[in-house]
Amino acid sequence: MATFWPIVILDVLIIGLPLIFKLAQPKEINSLFGYRTKRSKQNEKTWKVANLYWTNIMLFGSVMVIAFQLVLIVVQESIPTILSATCIAWIITIIAGIFLTESFLKKTFGK
C-alpha cells in the first residue's frame, strides 16, 4: 500500500493557510500579508471586509477540496494522480475565491 504522507502534508497546507489568515487577519493595509488587490486596498473598510470574506471563501473551498480528495482516495490509488488533481482543484478554488471576493467588493462598495 502506498504511503499517504504527501496527501496529509498537502491537506495540512490546504486547511492551515486559510486558518492562519482567519486567525491572524492583517489590521491595516500592507503589501505583505492579506488579500491584496486594487479594490481591497481602497480604504480600511474595504480591506477588512475583503480579508474577512476571502478567508471565509477559502475555508469553505478548502473543505470542499479535501472532500473531493477523499473521493479520489476511494476511487484512485495512485498518489501522484490524487496530488495532481488536488492541486488543480485548489488552484480553481483560489481563482474562484478571487472572482467571488472581487464581485462582492464591487457589489458592496461600488467601483
Side-chain angles (χ1 to χ4, degrees), residues 21-83:
F21 279 97
K22 181 79 169 175
L23 298 174
Q25 291 210 355
K27 304 294 182 215
E28 54 191 42
I29 298 171
N30 66 76
S31 298
L32 297 175
F33 181 69
Y35 180 80
R36 299 175 316 273
T37 64
K38 185 177 180 181
R39 187 170 276 130
S40 70
K41 295 193 295 183
Q42 284 180 349
N43 58 54
E44 291 292 324
K45 185 167 176 97
T46 58
W47 175 256
K48 289 180 191 291
V49 169
N51 277 280
L52 180 63
Y53 192 84
W54 166 257
T55 55
N56 289 336
I57 292 285
M58 293 314 297
L59 279 171
F60 176 76
S62 296
V63 171
M64 300 312 300
V65 168
I66 291 173
F68 169 69
Q69 186 185 67
L70 292 173
V71 170
L72 287 177
I73 289 170
V74 170
V75 299
Q76 175 64 258
E77 221 175 279
S78 169
I79 300 293
T81 303
I82 294 169
L83 290 172

